[in-house]
Amino acid sequence: MAETEFWTEGDPIADQAAPDGPVETRWERRRFSAKLVNPANRRKLTVIIVGTGLAGGSAAATLAEAGYHVKSYCFQDSPRRAHSIAAQGGINAAKNYRNDGDSIYRLFYDTVKGGDFRARESNVYRLAQVSVNIIDQCVAQGVPFAREYGGLLDNRSFGGTQVSRTFYARGQTGQQLLLGAYQAMERQIGLGNIEMHTRHEMLELIVADGKARGIVVRDLVTGEITTEFADAVVLASGGYGNVFFLSTNAKGSNVTATWRAHRKGALFANPCYTQIHPTCIPESGSHQSKLTLMSESLRNDGRVWVPKAQNDKRAPGDIPEDERDYYLERIYPSFGNLVPRDIASRAAKNVCDEGRGVGPGGLGVYLDFADAIRRLGRKAVEAKYGNLFEMYQRITGEDPYEVPMRIYPAVHYTMGGLWVDYDLQSTIPGLFVIGEANFSDHGANRLGASALMQGLADGYFVLPNTINNYLAAGPFPKLDETHEAVVAARKQVEDRLARFLSINGDRTVDSFHRELGHIMWEYCGMERTEEGLTKAIGLIRALKEEFWTRVKVPGKGAELNQNLERAGRVADFFELAELMCIDALHRRESCGGHFRGESQTPDGEALRHDDEFSYVAAWEYATAEGGKPTLHKEALEFEYVHPSTRSYK
Amino acid sequence: MDIKVRVWRQAGPADQGRMVTYDVKGISPDASFLEMIDVLNETLILNGDDPIAFDHDCREGICGMCSMVINGVAHGPEKATTTCQLHMRHFSDGDVIDVEPWRARAFPVIKDLVVDRSAFDKIIQAGGYISVPTGTAPDAHATPVPKKDADAAFEAATCIACGACVAACPNGSSMLFTAAKITHLGLMPQGQPERDSRVIDMLQAQDDAGFGGCTNMGECAEVCPKGIPLSLIGRLNSDYRKAIAKH
């Protein structure tokens, strides 16, 4: 097998749980073939769930309703704060309520294609099937989706699709869906079926006798370290976009739970798959802690442009029409401003790289509503986008009714994560991974309104069906504090925390995180090259070494210590960052948002190489100090949707 | 901008707590209030001082985690704004700004500006939901909901449970929070079967958690970052009276 400076290639892997036969019947047959646990036995089984977002919250509620004993953990002060709450746009479902030719098959087709043929057909088909039940479930819970005057549900279309299949609750779909799951969870907490631990963070996975059997957690208020046991562990801990420091993720979002599991043997798949969202408010200064997304729906009426001339510092209103470049409309006449996220993001980067960007630092393009205001009137624009305009004004201090908004791409969602099979089980038996924490079913380039769908599909419908098959072999032998795996996991946590506190250097955790983020954005962001990635790996290794000698973490372990929390997360980001660069380096193709400079068509579009890279890249942790990660490939086969070139010209 | 902040420092629940003054220099007017504290904390750490503990997460005004009383007002001077969305341009160079945690009996201080708001979850546990186990739902179109009701329910459902209403209330009452949930669920057909028990149980849980009674001061609605109107409390009271009469 191949070996390079940075990685070793190991044996290929396959999804052993995947059923075959006609795609339409695979999920039904898998559910039938999976073992069941009888209701009286369920109460003897305990499941730990880490994370309480759409995936974790819905899974916790559903498993508790089924009769399992659930122990749930989140680092926030309430499960309702999980970052799913910030999703704005909507959730897709193949309901065909608009009679516009939508179907499960079409949602499946669009998603496989929109994912640039880097997702599994079986999983995507199941996602499309289950999408229909998600809407029913949420409506029954009282989620106040937008309605029409007849009382039926309203829909809109979203990012790159030709049908109206997106259900929404104004610009707060994520919050409303999460509240549905949270309330279902709180009901089970009240009934005593879920043991909820807020302000707790998982710091290690316990793998005993080859199975995931528990976690080591830190109480973030007292600093107490405890070990928690279960018959199965579910990670629903979200994505890792914060490796870039600046992203649209909540400040607390981190990779620690999945990274700890990776170090214990779970493969990490497609780590370099990052979705860059084109419509964020640009960075304003070095004080900045995060980026804010403006809903993609703005591109329905806003026109994107930059000056034709380089370094044109005139106010936008002083630039005459014929000196403006409406570049999306020019390059992609048929999709115009509505091209998919990856295309719009890269086009913005290109014009800024040419020196035609606007705003401070030249990293921004205009999103202009002047035409829409002229055409529809200010009132109509206000009714449609008023809350977004207000948010923009609040953050930038500029009035978007008077001057065009400035936008720039930002890191939004991560599509890599722990590798799971069709049952959502990782390579560690008994460890299940759901939602953004697994390597997702969207492939390389997610369409809009898919993430909420996947989170809830996994949590409400898929996991609660597949985990039984594993739990049917339980309860597993009782574990206690004295088991060597438990002692070792606990010691790892304690040593690590002690080490952070003992370094007492001269740089803050945040200063390292910010510097790491710059490296990642520069070399592993929207466009990557072999040269840049190789350089980045060197920079990351050097910075990591500096981190472990110069970081200063104040305070003690046995108290609420937010810098200690952050130090642990940033330490994991360093290791993940290196793997992301290695993954990006090995994938010598452009695919969705993952643009390799060396792989483009003569007119600068992304060039995929299906013959070489039609696989999931699943990485095994290098256990030896200074060792190389091992790449295991899972071949992807497309029986129904045949790979073709995406074109938006 | 150069400003002075006077921040409530309290090492733990048992500590008495005090205001401590810090100078913050060279802050960008584009920085958010929380980013200003980030900058201050970086300096404190490098000087060997204990950084200020505070709650925050999404920094987009939706997760409801940030919680500071700024110059005596929950979430600060801007209307309908969470602390994370409050920017320094709303202050002037040389200002002295007071920063304190939410203060209410039901929200004990954990450290500095961090308080325990788990009492809100207890209120939800008591009935702030519709009992519908996964997989038992009818088709979403089986029950039409008049647009007017759906929109009104949505308005109530925008509550982010930050707790500003409690912090602003002289009685430390959580009535606006509870009223928002009662209204959201009570306006939809799906919420009708449990409507009576919900209001009775949630109000009981509110009392049990140590929140004060509502005397219609209206301070809560004034500071609500999501603009939840005071009128919802009237709706809750009316629901409660009807429920009690029936039971």
Side-chain angles (χ1 to χ4, degrees):
Chain A
M1 285 290 173
E3 169 134 3
T4 74
E5 188 189 343
F6 296 110
W7 73 88
T8 310
E9 191 170 333
D11 295 333
I13 53 166
D15 176 2
Q16 305 290 351
D20 51 14
V23 74
E24 298 84 357
T25 63
R26 285 178 193 170
W27 177 225
E28 193 188 324
R29 282 182 294 116
R30 177 67 194 126
R31 272 188 298 172
F32 185 74
S33 66
K35 292 186 205 88
L36 299 175
V37 178
N38 97 53
N41 287 339
R42 290 181 205 158
R43 70 178 80 99
K44 298 176 197 153
L45 292 159
T46 300
V47 179
I48 283 176
I49 303 181
V50 180
T52 58
L54 287 179
S58 58
T62 304
L63 291 177
E65 285 157 9
Y68 293 110
H69 179 228
V70 175
K71 290 160 102 173
S72 198
Y73 297 82
C74 71
F75 67 77
Q76 298 92 341
D77 72 328
S78 163
R80 67 173 293 144
R81 316 260 189 236
H83 191 52
S84 305
I85 206 160
Q88 297 171 344
I91 177 167
N92 284 335
K95 280 286 199 184
N96 194 31
Y97 281 164
R98 321 312 296 177
N99 192 28
D100 55 5
D102 201 9
S103 62
I104 287 169
Y105 201 89
R106 191 177 295 278
L107 176 52
F108 157 66
Y109 178 91
D110 287 352
T111 308
V112 171
K113 190 168 169 227
D116 239 343
F117 304 93
R118 294 295 175 263
R120 290 179 189 146
E121 280 191 333
S122 297
N123 292 49
V124 175
Y125 196 90
R126 175 175 66 189
L127 181 66
Q129 279 176 304
V130 166
S131 70
V132 176
N133 308 107
I134 295 173
I135 300 303
D136 297 341
Q137 177 67 22
C138 296
V139 165
Q141 287 172 343
V143 171
F145 283 117
R147 299 258 167 183
E148 298 188 320
Y149 285 99
L152 301 181
L153 292 154
D154 197 4
N155 294 104
R156 60 184 172 196
S157 70
F158 219 80
T161 50
Q162 290 163 302
V163 292
S164 274
R165 64 160 73 103
T166 307
F167 294 77
Y168 65 103
R170 222 164 290 173
Q172 302 182 1
T173 314
Q175 144 135 306
Q176 298 310 327
L177 294 173
L178 181 66
L179 289 185
Y182 155 79
Q183 286 164 199
M185 232 187 130
E186 288 298 329
R187 176 172 166 245
Q188 295 302 320
I189 295 170
L191 293 168
N193 300 330
I194 297 177
E195 214 180 279
M196 182 72 226
H197 302 271
T198 59
R199 293 196 194 269
H200 276 71
E201 181 166 46
M202 164 180 164
L203 292 179
E204 199 56 69
L205 179 74
I206 295 171
V207 182
D209 308 316
K211 294 187 177 71
R213 291 299 309 279
I215 58 177
V216 182
V217 294
R218 179 166 179 268
D219 179 329
L220 300 181
V221 175
T222 64
E224 193 192 354
I225 308 291
T226 52
T227 44
E228 307 289 337
F229 305 116
D231 294 287
V233 176
V234 179
L235 300 185
S237 48
Y240 51 81
N242 271 341
V243 67
F244 291 90
F245 188 77
L246 285 183
S247 81
T248 64
N249 288 19
K251 287 292 284 175
S253 297
N254 66 85
V255 77
T256 290
T258 52
W259 195 256
R260 302 283 100 205
H262 174 54
R263 289 180 62 120
K264 280 272 156 69
L267 301 186
F268 205 109
N270 301 336
C272 82
Y273 281 9
T274 309
Q275 186 198 129
I276 314 278
H277 202 292
T279 52
C280 292
I281 300 178
E283 207 176 321
S284 68
S286 59
H287 59 270
Q288 195 143 1
S289 60
K290 76 158 293 170
L291 295 169
T292 302
L293 181 71
M294 299 298 292
S295 169
E296 194 170 21
S297 64
L298 288 169
R299 288 194 286 141
N300 278 306
D301 284 300
R303 296 181 69 195
V304 177
W305 65 275
V306 289
K308 279 185 180 163
Q310 288 178 329
N311 298 314
D312 189 337
K313 299 288 180 216
R314 287 176 290 175
D318 297 338
I319 301 176
E321 210 45 44
D322 61 352
E323 291 177 40
R324 299 177 176 191
D325 180 12
Y326 293 90
Y327 58 90
L328 289 177
E329 297 167 37
R330 172 172 60 81
I331 309 172
Y332 307 99
S334 62
F335 277 71
N337 296 301
L338 282 172
V339 289
R341 293 176 176 181
D342 56 323
I343 307 272
S345 295
R346 227 170 58 74
K349 180 183 188 295
N350 288 342
V351 295
C352 293
D353 288 351
E354 288 163 22
R356 300 196 288 140
V358 299
L363 292 177
V365 300
Y366 289 127
L367 178 61
D368 196 341
F369 286 84
D371 271 5
I373 293 172
R374 257 194 303 277
R375 180 163 43 90
L376 307 164
R378 178 174 164 142
K379 253 192 121 119
V381 171
E382 232 176 276
K384 251 173 145 170
Y385 306 115
N387 58 336
L388 296 167
F389 276 44
E390 196 194 308
M391 179 169 89
Y392 180 86
Q393 182 159 17
R394 201 184 285 283
I395 293 171
T396 63
E398 293 173 1
D399 179 3
Y401 292 102
E402 298 298 328
V403 292
M405 288 183 181
R406 288 175 295 110
I407 54 167
Y408 197 67
V411 170
H412 184 50
Y413 188 88
T414 45
M415 290 162 292
L418 292 184
W419 184 91
V420 289
D421 64 14
Y422 189 75
D423 285 352
L424 305 181
Q425 185 167 219
S426 73
T427 44
I428 299 174
L431 178 70
F432 293 78
V433 193
I434 60 178
E436 193 179 349
N438 70 27
F439 82 109
S440 84
D441 295 335
H442 320 306
N445 172 45
R446 190 169 60 88
L447 298 170
S450 301
L452 304 188
M453 178 170 63
Q454 195 209 338
L456 290 180
D458 286 0
Y460 279 132
F461 298 104
V462 180
L463 177 85
N465 277 291
T466 60
I467 200 171
N468 302 321
N469 189 60
Y470 178 81
L471 290 172
F476 300 102
K478 215 168 146 34
L479 210 59
D480 64 31
E481 304 280 341
T482 60
H483 190 287
E484 61 174 344
V486 182
V487 173
R490 195 188 166 105
K491 186 166 177 339
Q492 277 172 319
V493 168
E494 284 165 350
D495 288 353
R496 202 174 159 81
L497 293 170
R499 195 168 158 204
F500 287 130
L501 292 164
S502 69
I503 297 168
N504 197 22
D506 58 356
R507 284 189 63 178
T508 62
V509 173
D510 268 17
S511 79
F512 281 105
H513 191 183
R514 202 177 280 274
E515 195 174 333
L516 174 67
H518 280 297
I519 297 170
M520 291 305 285
W521 179 247
E522 183 69 22
Y523 301 110
C524 197
M526 268 189 285
E527 182 168 341
R528 301 102 185 251
T529 62
E530 181 171 342
E531 195 192 340
L533 289 164
T534 310
K535 183 174 173 192
I537 294 169
L539 292 172
I540 293 165
R541 287 178 178 171
L543 189 64
K544 182 168 75 176
E545 208 178 299
E546 194 182 331
F547 174 83
W548 284 107
T549 51
R550 286 186 60 190
V551 76
K552 185 179 179 79
V553 181
K556 301 189 294 282
E559 63 177 1
L560 189 149
N561 187 338
Q562 294 173 324
N563 277 279
L564 182 59
E565 294 165 25
R566 240 171 272 156
R569 295 167 190 166
V570 172
D572 289 336
F573 279 139
F574 272 115
E575 296 186 11
L576 167 75
E578 191 176 319
L579 187 66
M580 285 172 78
C581 291
I582 290 173
D583 186 43
L585 188 62
H586 110 279
R587 192 168 281 276
R588 286 175 288 97
E589 66 165 348
S590 295
C591 171
H594 321 293
F595 194 85
R596 270 297 286 261
E598 299 92 344
S599 182
Q600 48 184 310
T601 62
D603 51 356
E605 297 296 333
L607 183 64
R608 238 176 36 228
H609 297 295
D610 293 329
D611 47 340
E612 274 185 273
F613 293 102
S614 195
Y615 59 77
V616 174
W619 295 92
E620 183 184 333
Y621 186 72
T623 39
E625 190 66 32
K628 301 172 193 175
T630 307
L631 170 64
H632 299 275
K633 296 176 181 174
E634 179 202 335
L636 289 169
E637 275 151 40
F638 295 91
E639 291 173 63
Y640 294 88
V641 189
H642 299 293
S644 57
T645 307
R646 292 192 308 150
S647 171
Y648 300 92
K649 294 257 174 188
Chain B
M1 301 167 66
D2 294 345
I3 52 158
K4 247 186 219 319
V5 281
R6 294 195 299 208
V7 185
W8 182 259
R9 302 304 308 265
Q10 185 174 344
D15 182 28
Q16 250 201 330
R18 72 215 63 87
M19 295 297 273
V20 180
T21 306
Y22 302 99
D23 285 310
V24 189
K25 295 197 187 305
I27 279 288
S28 162
D30 290 329
S32 72
F33 199 84
L34 297 184
E35 287 167 348
M36 180 273 291
I37 297 184
D38 289 341
V39 171
L40 169 59
N41 272 345
E42 293 287 284
T43 321
L44 292 178
I45 294 168
L46 293 176
N47 288 343
D49 294 327
D50 199 22
I52 300 158
F54 63 101
D55 267 334
H56 64 98
D57 201 17
C58 80
R59 298 200 174 188
E60 289 185 29
I62 194 76
C63 78
M65 189 120 168
C66 60
S67 48
M68 293 178 194
V69 173
I70 300 165
N71 286 340
V73 182
H75 291 301
E78 287 292 292
K79 277 290 265 186
T81 305
T82 54
T83 301
C84 66
Q85 296 287 285
L86 172 68
H87 288 76
M88 295 310 293
R89 69 178 76 90
H90 299 295
F91 298 90
S92 306
D93 200 26
D95 272 0
V96 180
I97 306 170
D98 285 349
V99 189
E100 293 166 86
W102 282 178
R103 294 194 188 279
R105 189 156 54 116
F107 290 166
V109 173
I110 295 173
K111 183 178 181 181
D112 297 339
L113 305 172
V114 178
V115 303
D116 179 357
R117 285 169 286 183
S118 55
F120 269 5
D121 292 329
K122 296 252 164 50
I123 297 176
I124 298 296
Q125 280 160 33
Y129 48 74
I130 289 167
S131 298
V132 48
T134 306
T136 58
D139 184 87
H141 267 182
T143 319
V145 181
K147 180 168 164 50
K148 183 170 64 64
D149 294 349
D151 287 352
F154 175 85
E155 292 295 343
T158 58
C159 167
I160 57 173
C162 61
C165 47
V166 178
C169 177
N171 306 335
S173 167
S174 65
M175 207 61 156
L176 193 67
F177 165 78
T178 307
K181 188 49 56 189
I182 294 286
T183 305
H184 162 204
L185 298 176
L187 276 168
M188 311 196 83
Q190 302 90 313
Q192 299 312 310
E194 293 166 299
R195 188 166 166 182
D196 293 346
S197 58
R198 180 179 304 121
V199 67
I200 293 171
D201 294 345
M202 286 178 81
L203 285 185
Q204 184 62 51
Q206 190 178 287
D207 290 346
D208 294 348
F211 290 103
C214 173
T215 50
N216 265 310
M217 304 267 195
E219 297 289 326
C220 50
E222 277 298 306
V223 298
C224 175
K226 297 295 150 183
I228 306 282
L230 192 62
S231 59
L232 300 195
I233 294 180
R235 202 189 139 84
L236 178 151
N237 285 328
S238 139
D239 266 23
Y240 183 68
R241 278 192 298 272
K242 282 183 211 155
I244 289 291
K246 276 191 252 173
H247 288 265

